[in-house]
Amino acid sequence: MYPRLVIDMKKLKGNLDAVAHITKDKGGCDSMMIVTKCLCADPMVSRLIAEHPMVDFMADSRTKNIASFTDLAHEYLKQTVLLRIPMPCEVEDVVKYVDLSFNSEISTIRLLNEAAAKAGKVHKILLMIDMGDLREGIFFQNEDTIMETVQEILGMENIELYGVGVNLTCYGAIIPKEDNLGGLVKIARKIEEKFGIKLKMVSGGNSSSIYLADKEQLPEGITNLRLGESFLLGNDTAYLTKLPGTVDDALILEAQIVELKEKPSLPIGDVGVDAFGEKPEYEDRGIIKRAIIAVGKQDTDLGGMIPLDEKVDILGGSSDHTILDVTKSDKEYKVGDVVSFKLEYGAMLKLATSPYVTKEYI
Ligand SMILES: *Cc1c(COP(=O)(O)O)cnc(C)c1O
């Protein structure tokens, strides 16, 4: 059945080998987290990750996704990680399914401590420091707040402060560099000196930090990276370069043509707004061969689809339809043919989330 997301397990394994080599051998990290949220913790891909000897942590932003692989992860001696700051309403589930959660709010950490006490467990946390990207974390300039928070955490019986971490290039698009990652390491060392403890992890970011590891320039003291997109699509997300040893076509969308007709490229009549309330713009290409494929904005992000046939253009679409210009293609498309696309991050995430898209593993 189409539309379908074709997942090439051999290629994904190759990408995993490549990012592990970059992170650990070139970057000098002592651990690597692989992030499962981009494919909604797909069970087959989760198994591939769990079985890989160089993966130490399996991470996701949603507790529900983590619950689906907690047993699998533990079977392979991997720890589970919650990347999004926990909701106060979910602390019981976090303590139950997650080994290490990322935190920035002392009130929530107190709730985790209570929940862990009730469950008879010690829950590990990573304290997030905001080094300027302005998503999650205690702001790096508020050093007093950082130290007070650490002090209170160290007094909690059922919480272990496992380390500190930073997230970059998500909201503010700030690029990881020596100054912001080095700054995080300095904060880690200050915490260790002030409280006479040793932090087990200084987590230096996501797929936007891997370019530094590849150049062997990851600041000394960063011990971990968390990788989703670079593993799935093979790129560093700071400069969008292709990482050595990876491929960008491990995930392919296939959709079927349901209509193919020659029509003008300009609509006829007064222009109002489209199905999404936007005023479209058209380019006059004369009479063209227009193919409609059965996939739309409800399933994916049309701007993040890259046709494998380079002579096919995406003209636009609506909830359930995507319209292609196949005029210049060398292939004589017909109704029933399948058109294939490489994917960008947003398009892939939506496809993995859509219940209308089937998955095929090769
Ligand atoms: C999503 C996420 C990651 C993984 O990001 P990629 O760019 O896909 O590697 C890492 N850390 C946090 C906190 C995240 O939310």
Side-chain angles (χ1 to χ4, degrees), residues 35 37-38 61 83-84 102 128 135-136 166-170 205-208 226-231 237 345:
V35 176
K37 69 186 183 203
C38 337
S61 50
L83 298 167
R84 186 169 65 186
F102 288 15
M128 293 304 277
R135 201 177 76 178
E136 71 273 48
V166 65
N167 197 56
L168 293 162
T169 342
C170 270
N206 55 47
S207 295
S208 66
R226 317 179 298 268
L227 307 173
E229 180 167 348
S230 53
F231 149 55
T237 57
Y345 186 85

Side-chain angles (χ1 to χ4, degrees), residues 266-325:
L266 294 180
I268 291 158
D270 292 340
V271 177
V273 290
D274 69 11
F276 286 79
E278 277 157 33
K279 215 171 172 94
E281 278 179 32
Y282 312 101
E283 183 193 334
D284 190 356
R285 302 175 173 210
I287 300 283
I288 55 174
K289 262 194 239 165
R290 306 169 69 94
I292 299 180
I293 51 172
V295 70
K297 292 182 186 175
Q298 187 167 357
D299 311 293
T300 190
D301 184 358
L302 307 190
M305 293 160 55
I306 305 138
L308 288 191
D309 180 342
E310 285 168 10
K311 293 178 177 168
V312 166
D313 289 329
I314 299 171
L315 294 175
S318 51
S319 308
D320 311 298
H321 304 77
T322 302
I323 303 164
L324 309 175
D325 177 357

Side-chain angles (χ1 to χ4, degrees), residues 111-175:
L111 294 177
L112 285 167
N113 185 38
E114 284 168 26
K118 256 191 229 152
K121 284 185 170 179
V122 172
H123 180 72
K124 301 186 192 84
I125 65 165
L126 198 82
L127 190 63
M128 293 304 277
I129 310 294
D130 185 341
M131 298 302 298
D133 198 59
L134 302 184
R135 201 177 76 178
E136 71 273 48
I138 304 177
F139 198 54
F140 71 106
Q141 290 172 344
N142 300 341
E143 215 173 288
D144 291 350
T145 314
I146 296 173
M147 294 304 166
E148 282 161 22
T149 307
V150 169
Q151 179 148 32
E152 182 171 344
I153 294 168
L154 293 177
M156 293 180 180
E157 270 188 24
N158 297 81
I159 297 288
E160 176 190 341
L161 179 63
Y162 198 71
V164 293
V166 65
N167 197 56
L168 293 162
T169 342
C170 270
Y171 171 73
I174 296 303
I175 301 227

